[in-house]
Amino acid sequence: MAKEKTIYTCTECGGTSPKWLGKCPSCSAWNTLIESVAESAAAGRNRYTSQFQSLAKTAEVAVLADIEATDVQRTPTGQDELDRVLGGGIVEGAVVLIGGDPGIGKSTLLLQALDSLQRGGQSTLYVTGEESGAQVALRSRRLGLDACQVKVLAEIQLDKILATIDALQPDVAVIDSIQTVYSDQLTSAPGSVAQVRECAAHLTRCAKSSGTAIVLVGHVTKEGALAGPRVLEHMVDAVLYFEGETHSSFRLVRAIKNRFGAVNEIGVFAMTEKGLKGVSNPSAIFLSQHAEPVPGSCVMVTLEGTRPLLVEIQALVDSGGPSPRRLSVGLDRDRLAMLLAVLHRHAGVACMDQDVFVNAVGGVRISEPAADLAVLLAITSSLRGKPLPKGFFAFGEVGLAGEVRPAPRGQERLKEAAKLGFTVAVVPKANVPKKSHAKEFEGLTIHAVDRVEQAMDIVRGLG
Ligand code: TYD
Ligand code: MG
């Protein structure tokens, strides 16, 4: 096949250049030229006009209410926690991107899912570009998947992969990983932004036309630096990310985009010697097991997705050098700086000359502001060297004016903590249950606050 010409297109302004340049000749932006397949001039010119002409002839406008809204068909993958994040199962012709650090368990989870789909009567294809067929077989034995009928293709060339999908017409295909696939229309190396984008676009088109659901695996480094998944997010139907630390056994899979379901839904897995096992009742796994309360630790209830999770926030405040450090793991660092300013200004607690470290236990990432109050209480507890009382938890968003704002669905959070035996809570006033519901929270002492300084006073009174 004759090689098609490639051109370099600027991602900022769309300008083109026949060869790679550091600076875009049209808009002078740096490092924005990306290789792409050149379309012949005639095709390029006519692409839109001919499309619109044919549209004008054939397209009909319908009133929204008259269009029959058939619910999408979902096929459960057999992995309950994965189904939860997908919104009930995998949808025909959908493209799902699963991102995560290397070694976190993407291949393991998908092989398990394909195996149970295959056992459920779906035809499946596992395309591996990173491992040989033998390595995949070894993993399947290790996972205890006997007589696994999943078809395996060890291939990295896009055309061959597309041809195989076309020939086999599987219900679900996994591409592990998109960074290894390359199209020989482009000269850039596999894994480069140009290749990843081009290959993903072809695979997406293939999914839409054939009805095969395609799962793309993508690696992301901690910095998110690796070329790839991020540029794909807008192309695919659902984006799932693996969270968790590779050295702890728990893994979270979070949906950050889902055209067929809710976002921010979390699936929780434990990595065992037999692969990933769903954790159906995860609310207490992100608590470290102290026999007695220790300074600098405060439990909060986070509610991302549909399930409340109890997470321990730890803080360490220690005298720092001339330029003290603020570090956070699992929480937003800018938010930490803001909270420290609020703490100083409104509660009179100064950490200016101190190093402040905060950490969400278990590798979970908390993006909701309801963690604010717990972060502040953990910091003051560490600063004073005084633990919070046993069975204590807190949640609530803190504003710049020092006000404590309610967290969404506060009652559910309170209920979950009460269920797990927590007894004392400091929460925003608006989250306090009504008198008529008081029975459901028996055994739980709830302190309502609407200012940061109030929370500090209450905690001082408790300790
Ligand atoms: P893997 O799925 O290969 O990660 P990824 O595809 O995201 O790079 O999983 C890798 C890790 O999981 C590896 O460090 C070993 C561990 N593991 C287990 O603990 N138990 C198992 O049954 C399997 C298959 C892997
Ligand atoms: Mg892998």
Side-chain angles (χ1 to χ4, degrees), residues 101-108 139 142-143 271-275:
D101 299 340
I104 202 154
K106 301 180 292 296
S107 307
T108 307
R139 174 182 285 132
R142 189 169 161 198
L143 293 171
M271 182 61 95
T272 67
E273 66 278 14
K274 284 236 180 278

Side-chain angles (χ1 to χ4, degrees), residues 374-409:
V375 171
L376 287 183
L377 292 175
I379 290 172
T380 41
S381 158
S382 173
L383 189 66
R384 299 201 176 104
K386 279 184 81 176
L388 291 158
K390 212 177 167 117
F392 179 90
F393 70 97
F395 59 82
E397 178 181 346
V398 173
L400 285 178
E403 81 277 21
V404 177
R405 300 202 204 111
R409 290 149 70 201

